[in-house]
Amino acid sequence: MGQTPGDAQENLIGGRARIDGPAVQARDVHGGIHVHTGAAARVPPPRQLLPVPAHFTGRNDDMAALEGLLTGNGRDRPARSLIVVSGPAGIGKTTLVCGWLHSLAAEFPDGQLYADLRGHSAQGPASPGEVLSQFLRALGAGSVPADMAEKASLWRSWTAEARIAVVLDNAFTAAQVRPLLHAGPHGLTVVTSRRRLTGLRMDGAAVHQLRALRPDAGAELLSRAIGDDRVANEPSAARQVVALCAGLPLALCLASARLASRPRQSVKTLADALTRDTERLAALHVEGENTVSNALDASYAVLTEEAALLYRRLGPLPLRTFDARSAAAACAASLAWAEARLDELVEANLMEETGPGSFRFHDLVRVHAHGRATAEESAPARAEALRRVCDWYLETATEAEKLITPAQFTLARDVTHPAGLPVPFADDPGALAWLDAHRMNLMAVIRAAAASEWHAMTWQLVDAMWPVFLRLRHYDLWIEAHEIGLAAAREDGDAEAERQMLNSGAIGLSAAGRVDDAAEWYERSRRAAREAGDVRDEGQALLGLGGCHRDAGRTARAVEYLDQAITCWEACGYPRGVALARIILGEIALAQDDTGRAVEYFTHAHTGLLAVNDPHDAARALVFLGRARARAGEHRAGTAAMEEALAVFTSSGAVHWQARALEMLGDSARERGEETAARHFRARARALFETTSPADARRLREAPGGT
């Protein structure tokens, strides 16, 4: 059996970093959107910055209106599968929609997905491609095409029959929404926006305009937050607070939070504070932002000095979510300090908890926090906070890299501000899970470091993300990161880092099917290595070029390049690279049905990789060795070898290689006439390929006798 498209990056691994002698092991080359899926995982629970009381009735009419749009109310109006809920900022669109969908959980058994489209974010709206990547991964497509048209096609295919509900929150334009609409007749998409998005009526949308709370509903919300007695003692001031908040639930909740935190303060004191900028309050009725700013100022004013510091330090950061460690790094503080301050911000309803240990700002609160930082912190102080967070991410990702790929050499790291914080994982699976969970924040700090012209930091962050690309195959992020990293390495004047970016980026391009682009990057790397006299890196580029020619079907040229790579690495004393090249040569021999030569190549590769403590690649050699032996008629020994390799891949979380091993076991079972076992193995393989390589899953479905 030949190489699958998803194998390319691991077959093209050699070593990228300079070594001084054979004893040094070299480093090799070879995914805030909030998403929930599954019957037990839904859109986030309905909440404002201050949670709306469970029995609050101020939105019952809106709930009924949405229900009528969904069902048609049994009248002549058609039921709708696309609903737009629009209204000004802070009006409670997200809370309303999420609360409504929680009540409809049973009607969408295949899951509910939520994405913040960041329509009014300072960083700009989320692109449809970014959101589609996250949705597809949440649905199980761990490997997402880089091309937007292919993403959209895959999304339509996955949702054609699904009974799902999708919330597209804070949309900016109809064009931003259209590529995210599901394809099936059984789903529901609800879009929230400060704009009416009338263009979506062409797509069959029903629009519900959310209005300000009625005065009595606003008074009820305030009363439930601070107590009936306080409202009854100052009814005029309470009515004034409700009026000045213009019926915005966000503003009312924040005002209530301030009053609740000061039980001895009169309601009139807050009312007076809200009237200090009447022009901004007048604008609030239209735009919904200025009174929110006043309310946020009032809430910020009652924070402790330490909580206010954290609020300001986090506001300008590019992260969509925070945890205690990133918060501690930003303030050069301890983990316990950060945990306590985050609790304060959550209690003050200036930050919301999105999951265990994960927090985020509401968009308007983030804008306010950024504004307070600009007003109260110097530019150098803001830059230092960002640098400290970048340093922490670099330190932590590098530690994860060492656990996941211990045989690989890591280039130097330039950490300006060591955080001194404990790493949040203890083993290989934990490290990989952390990298995966933080991949979007890692990409955000890479972009921020590049924008700040911290060139060494930028390419080092890209380099430290290597395991997440190697194991989880987020091709779109892989390519973007290495394009940024390559430019940064050039600006940094670090020739070795530049070759590292070229080699590892080329593998991502090849794995994504851009073989010609990959070959061009490898050729540039080879020329640079020759100019530098770096035989070790020249071997890496030759290995990559061999892989590109093999993918293009030019087997003879591929063998020439692979033999040259082996010659280079034998000369400089890099046995690991030699072993990796032999894996590809063994696959070529196996594809040519030369099982004897294939067994020889795989045996030498397996022995060599065990000798340099590379269990993952040793298991790759072993699974191919087992397949070659089975093809040669040694069924029992071959099956045992493949099962041993499968156990290694399962333990390390290498899902793609679990699927590859299962496919090989299925092929071997079919060759022995064991059709039931063959179907079982191939079905398991296809299920795993769906999450890592849809092309391989499709290949299995379409193969003769495929499941």
Side-chain angles (χ1 to χ4, degrees), residues 116 118 244 268 526 538 657 663:
D116 180 359
R118 308 197 304 269
L244 291 171
K268 187 176 185 305
R526 180 171 70 157
E538 184 180 353
W657 280 96
E663 182 182 1

Side-chain angles (χ1 to χ4, degrees), residues 43-48 52-73 75 77 80 83-86 91-105 107 112 188 190 207-211 213-214:
V43 295
R47 60 181 294 170
Q48 295 274 353
V52 175
H55 302 293
F56 176 62
T57 59
R59 290 300 189 195
N60 282 355
D61 291 345
D62 294 298
M63 288 275 201
L66 293 178
E67 189 68 26
L69 294 175
L70 177 64
T71 64
N73 268 346
R75 306 174 198 167
R77 293 182 302 178
R80 303 298 184 105
I83 297 173
V84 176
V85 178
S86 63
I91 201 68
K93 302 179 288 295
T94 303
T95 294
L96 171 69
V97 168
C98 291
W100 178 51
L101 287 180
H102 271 280
S103 71
L104 299 178
E107 297 189 32
Q112 300 185 10
L188 169 67
V190 185
V207 177
H208 179 68
Q209 180 71 18
L210 201 56
R211 308 292 181 182
L213 291 175
R214 300 185 308 273

Side-chain angles (χ1 to χ4, degrees), residues 391-472:
D391 280 335
W392 174 75
Y393 267 110
L394 179 59
E395 286 183 292
T396 309
T398 299
E399 290 303 312
E401 181 182 36
K402 291 176 182 176
L403 275 175
I404 298 167
T405 53
Q408 296 174 350
F409 175 73
T410 302
L411 288 177
R413 300 292 188 240
D414 299 323
V415 176
T416 304
H417 305 286
L421 297 170
V423 295
F425 41 77
D427 53 20
D428 179 334
L432 186 62
W434 182 88
L435 283 172
D436 190 27
H438 287 257
R439 67 182 183 276
M440 298 311 294
N441 276 352
L442 281 161
M443 290 298 300
V445 296
I446 285 170
R447 298 180 191 115
S452 299
E453 299 185 350
W454 299 333
H455 304 306
M457 167 64 70
T458 302
W459 69 255
Q460 288 171 20
L461 280 164
V462 174
D463 196 48
M465 281 190 74
W466 177 250
V468 81
F469 302 138
L470 167 67
R471 296 287 178 88
L472 302 178

Side-chain angles (χ1 to χ4, degrees), residues 646 659 662 679-689 707:
L646 175 61
L662 287 164
R679 285 194 298 271
H680 174 70
F681 283 129
R682 290 173 68 86
R684 289 172 62 192
R686 195 185 75 180
L688 291 173
F689 275 140
T707 55

Side-chain angles (χ1 to χ4, degrees), residues 194-215:
R194 298 182 198 178
R195 301 185 176 194
R196 292 179 182 266
L197 300 185
T198 54
L200 287 178
R201 290 183 183 273
M202 298 174 59
D203 301 275
V207 177
H208 179 68
Q209 180 71 18
L210 201 56
R211 308 292 181 182
L213 291 175
R214 300 185 308 273

Side-chain angles (χ1 to χ4, degrees), residues 288-553:
E289 293 186 3
N290 291 325
T291 291
V292 170
S293 295
N294 283 356
L296 284 165
D297 282 339
S299 187
Y300 171 75
V302 303
L303 291 174
T304 66
E305 182 177 345
E306 291 178 326
L309 172 67
L310 179 60
Y311 184 74
R312 295 193 303 271
R313 292 290 169 84
L314 297 184
L317 295 179
L319 310 181
R320 303 309 305 173
T321 60
F322 306 94
D323 58 17
R325 287 174 171 82
S326 58
C331 296
S334 70
L335 193 58
W337 182 94
E339 289 170 342
R341 302 295 83 73
L342 284 168
D343 284 345
E344 281 190 61
L345 293 178
V346 170
E347 288 300 315
N349 300 295
L350 291 172
M351 186 169 279
E352 57 185 351
E353 195 166 7
T354 60
S358 179
F359 306 87
R360 72 169 182 175
F361 286 123
H362 181 281
D363 272 357
L364 294 175
V365 180
R366 179 185 292 276
V367 170
H368 180 267
H370 193 289
R372 296 324 310 158
T374 302
E376 300 179 39
E377 302 274 336
S378 67
R382 298 195 302 273
E384 181 180 321
L386 174 60
R387 180 69 191 219
R388 287 183 178 277
V389 170
C390 289
D391 280 335
W392 174 75
Y393 267 110
L394 179 59
E395 286 183 292
T396 309
T398 299
E399 290 303 312
E401 181 182 36
K402 291 176 182 176
L403 275 175
I404 298 167
T405 53
Q408 296 174 350
F409 175 73
T410 302
L411 288 177
R413 300 292 188 240
D414 299 323
V415 176
T416 304
H417 305 286
L421 297 170
V423 295
F425 41 77
D427 53 20
D428 179 334
L432 186 62
W434 182 88
L435 283 172
D436 190 27
H438 287 257
R439 67 182 183 276
M440 298 311 294
N441 276 352
L442 281 161
M443 290 298 300
V445 296
I446 285 170
R447 298 180 191 115
S452 299
E453 299 185 350
W454 299 333
H455 304 306
M457 167 64 70
T458 302
W459 69 255
Q460 288 171 20
L461 280 164
V462 174
D463 196 48
M465 281 190 74
W466 177 250
V468 81
F469 302 138
L470 167 67
R471 296 287 178 88
L472 302 178
R473 300 162 185 269
H474 302 305
Y475 298 140
D476 50 348
L477 302 184
W478 188 339
I479 294 169
E480 179 193 356
H482 283 84
E483 288 173 341
I484 295 171
L486 177 59
R490 286 175 180 160
E491 291 294 330
D492 194 34
D494 191 320
E496 188 175 27
E498 185 175 347
R499 296 196 299 274
Q500 186 125 317
M501 292 297 100
L502 282 168
N503 286 331
S504 52
I507 292 171
L509 289 166
S510 179
R514 295 170 55 180
V515 177
D516 290 340
D517 291 334
E520 193 269 332
W521 280 43
Y522 279 128
E523 188 57 49
R524 286 158 59 189
S525 175
R526 180 171 70 157
R527 289 196 301 268
R530 281 187 173 177
E531 290 174 6
D534 192 328
V535 178
R536 161 73 166 67
D537 269 8
E538 184 180 353
Q540 169 60 51
L542 289 165
L543 181 72
L545 286 166
C548 289
H549 281 287
R550 180 250 172 100
D551 292 342

Side-chain angles (χ1 to χ4, degrees), residues 1 4 646 649-650 654-666 681-682 684-693 696 699-700:
M1 184 181 66
T4 74
L646 175 61
F649 298 139
T650 302
V655 177
H656 175 83
W657 280 96
Q658 291 175 49
R660 290 284 276 136
L662 287 164
E663 182 182 1
M664 293 184 205
L665 283 164
F681 283 129
R682 290 173 68 86
R684 289 172 62 192
R686 195 185 75 180
L688 291 173
F689 275 140
E690 294 286 3
T691 68
T692 63
S693 179
D696 286 322
R699 175 178 55 78
L700 285 187

